[in-house]
Amino acid sequence: MAPLRIGFAGANAQRGWAKDAHLGAISAVPDLIVQAVSARTQEIADGAKAVFGAASAYDDSLALARDTQVDIVAVTVKVPEHRAIVLAAIAAGKHVYCEWPLGRDLAEAQEMADAARAAGVHVCIGLQGGNSWAVRHAAQLVQGGAVGRPLSLRVVSPTGGWGAESPPNYAYLQDKSNGATLSTIAGGHTLCAIEAVIGAFTQVTARASILRDTMTLMGTGETVKRTCADHLLTFGKHDSGCISSLEVVGGVTDVPFQFELRGSKGSLSITGGHPGGYQAGTLTVTTNPPSPRQPEQVATGIGTQSVNVAELWARFASDIRSGKRTVPDFDRAVRLTRLLDAIDASSENGSTVSLGGQ
């Protein structure tokens, strides 16, 4: 059976998540090949074509979405550009892997989810941390009673982003209206893992804060105003009865990811140490009392940034072949976006928000 052919919207030979994480991930999944790439100029696209080993290169991502030789469109551009490419790909009958966040707001996310459902195509949202072997293993242990009844969860989720300085190409992450913020990216990925292990939020109280209202662009010295939070605290109650606390900290690289669950019969922890956030590296699960050894990652011999992405790609390809739907999809993205909106509302109003209708 011929491999599934991927078109990368937003490829770059020099930098970017597609090059740093997806390229290594695709190399570890035999059922996938890169067929096409697109970028904002033909020169950049041609450079990416050589690095990604693609057959075609476009300076128009909508043209890539219509390429008859592409089976899956991978959307790795900036969040404000997601909607147009995703909708074009769905209209062309393509399967779609889109990076998280899906859209700039709930309305965009809902529009894309509705379009995918109506078309019947397979879609995947890039919540690779919540889909990782470690988080899925932890969820299975909790569901199997390894720690008894979940009582309380404490999570500290640091990221090097949203600190005092940033590369120029990340300046757009400081503007809340672009939808790519500490709350949505570092927060959203972590909230996904929390819900995977201890269940959906039913109530949330939050405080989103801007501790540094400006940041400096590396290499230029230019100052950029920050309109999104660089620190997030949430306190939640879950449908399992467990309560949780989460601190997402921007501009921190010397503190590990900490996920500490206490249950009625034991405890469980997930740890990681990638400076880009827990979702971008390998994770370890431990329990007390000890449980069976954690399963191995699906892919080995690739960079840490690629490991969890490879797992998600492997499951997505399997879903397309089998007709099953096991990966986090656009409906999952909509539910997570609603949770983030509730967190914003709680922070703005100083209130506890109920999410019983999620």
Side-chain angles (χ1 to χ4, degrees):
M1 190 178 295
L4 295 166
R5 301 163 295 181
I6 304 171
F8 272 99
N12 190 302
Q14 304 300 321
R15 55 177 167 78
W17 189 243
K19 174 181 176 291
D20 295 342
H22 284 277
L23 193 54
I26 297 304
S27 70
V29 183
D31 197 23
L32 299 171
I33 61 169
V34 178
Q35 174 67 26
V37 294
S38 67
R40 57 186 174 82
T41 70
Q42 192 62 48
E43 181 181 5
I44 295 173
D46 288 340
K49 175 185 174 182
V51 171
F52 281 69
S56 304
Y58 297 92
D59 63 358
D60 179 0
S61 292
L62 301 185
L64 176 142
R66 295 188 291 267
D67 186 334
T68 59
Q69 299 303 304
V70 169
D71 301 308
I72 307 170
V73 175
V75 182
T76 61
V77 294
K78 293 179 179 179
V79 176
E81 301 169 38
H82 284 188
R83 175 183 174 275
I85 302 169
V86 167
L87 293 178
I90 291 172
K94 311 296 186 185
H95 306 299
V96 181
Y97 181 124
C98 183
E99 281 300 333
W100 168 261
L102 179 56
R104 288 179 295 183
D105 53 32
L106 180 59
E108 284 193 357
Q110 188 68 67
E111 181 184 13
M112 288 181 267
D114 291 345
R117 202 180 315 105
V121 295
H122 284 264
V123 293
C124 178
I125 188 67
L127 290 166
Q128 69 275 0
N131 178 77
S132 67
W133 268 117
V135 172
R136 290 168 60 211
H137 181 52
Q140 290 169 355
L141 289 171
V142 171
Q143 291 163 12
V147 299
R149 181 169 64 88
L151 299 175
S152 64
L153 172 66
R154 173 182 175 270
V155 182
V156 178
S157 187
T159 174
W162 297 278
E165 297 182 317
S166 176
N169 56 302
Y170 288 153
Y172 89 107
L173 298 175
Q174 315 309 315
D175 184 349
K176 185 175 181 178
S177 67
N178 286 327
T181 66
L182 174 129
S183 295
T184 61
I185 297 178
H189 277 289
T190 311
L191 292 163
C192 179
I194 289 172
E195 290 201 318
V197 176
I198 63 169
F201 281 83
T202 57
Q203 290 182 342
V204 66
T205 306
R207 175 61 62 90
S209 305
I210 301 176
L211 304 183
R212 297 185 181 93
D213 59 7
T214 61
M215 53 82 68
T216 303
L217 298 182
M218 297 174 181
T220 70
E222 180 185 352
T223 298
V224 173
K225 183 174 178 60
R226 175 173 289 149
T227 62
C228 70
D230 51 20
H231 187 273
L232 175 66
L233 286 170
T234 72
F235 303 92
K237 184 176 181 180
H238 299 260
D239 58 10
S240 63
C242 192
I243 59 173
S244 68
S245 68
L246 164 64
E247 181 181 17
V248 184
V249 193
V252 173
T253 59
D254 59 350
V255 174
F257 174 75
Q258 302 162 60
F259 185 109
E260 301 166 349
L261 174 63
R262 183 173 62 89
S264 60
K265 296 181 180 179
S267 61
L268 176 147
S269 68
I270 305 175
T271 54
H274 198 283
Y278 95 94
Q279 73 279 1
T282 55
L283 302 165
T284 301
V285 178
T286 56
T287 61
N288 185 23
S291 295
R293 193 170 73 90
Q294 178 180 335
E296 297 294 334
Q297 295 280 0
V298 69
T300 58
I302 57 177
T304 56
Q305 291 186 110
S306 299
V307 170
N308 296 329
V309 178
E311 172 65 20
L312 190 51
W313 268 115
R315 293 186 66 205
F316 189 39
S318 177
D319 279 0
I320 293 170
R321 294 296 196 194
S322 68
K324 296 179 180 179
R325 297 182 183 271
T326 67
V327 298
D329 60 10
F330 290 179
D331 288 324
R332 179 70 186 92
V334 168
R335 293 195 300 274
L336 186 54
T337 304
R338 286 200 181 105
L339 172 58
L340 287 163
D341 283 354
I343 286 170
D344 276 349
S346 173
S347 180
E348 292 169 7
N349 301 327
S351 61
T352 296
V353 177
S354 294
L355 295 128
Q358 273 213 77

